[in-house]
Amino acid sequence: MNRRPQLAVLGWIVVAGLTTVISTWAISLLGQGLSERVVSPVSRADVARALATATAAPRPAATPGGTPAARGRAFTADGGSIVAACDGGRAVLLSWSPAQGYAVDDVNAGPAAAASLEFESDTRTVKVSVACQGDVPKTTVSQEREHD
């Protein structure tokens, strides 16, 4: 009796089994790296809290005395967020970011007595103005609904 076909089948089964085990092990290693960290969305309240406590790093600004701009202070409005500072009693917008669904328009970044910008959506415009009380930036926010 010829055992060659039986050995061939047995060899094929062993190789197929080893291939399956090694492939499963390799895929499990890849899966750990791809799925270890779970990213969850951040709520609007969490973003507002983080922006309220955030400060921008000081950066040089074009000022008459040549001194760097003061540390920024973060503000939020319905249309987005801004970081503003006072430099020699004049307001400066250091950065701004519109909320989802809004765009930025009419930016007067200062330094000026009142720096300002508008966050615009399809349905409303949120105007944010920053003025300084001493060396502390204060905002004024107004909103307009768009009429069709």
Side-chain angles (χ1 to χ4, degrees), residues 116-139:
S116 62
L117 59 74
E118 294 179 356
F119 294 114
E120 295 181 344
S121 74
D122 291 339
T123 58
R124 76 175 141 165
T125 299
V126 179
K127 296 181 181 182
V128 181
S129 178
V130 178
C132 294
Q133 292 179 352
D135 283 332
V136 179
K138 301 288 183 179
T139 61

Side-chain angles (χ1 to χ4, degrees), residues 54-112:
T55 57
R59 68 174 193 177
T63 60
T67 60
R71 290 187 71 85
R73 188 167 174 194
F75 300 94
T76 59
D78 283 345
S81 61
I82 64 168
V83 177
C86 293
D87 191 6
R90 296 171 58 91
V92 179
L93 300 183
L94 301 175
S95 65
W96 50 88
S97 179
Q100 188 170 358
Y102 285 83
V104 176
D105 194 20
D106 296 331
V107 177
N108 174 8

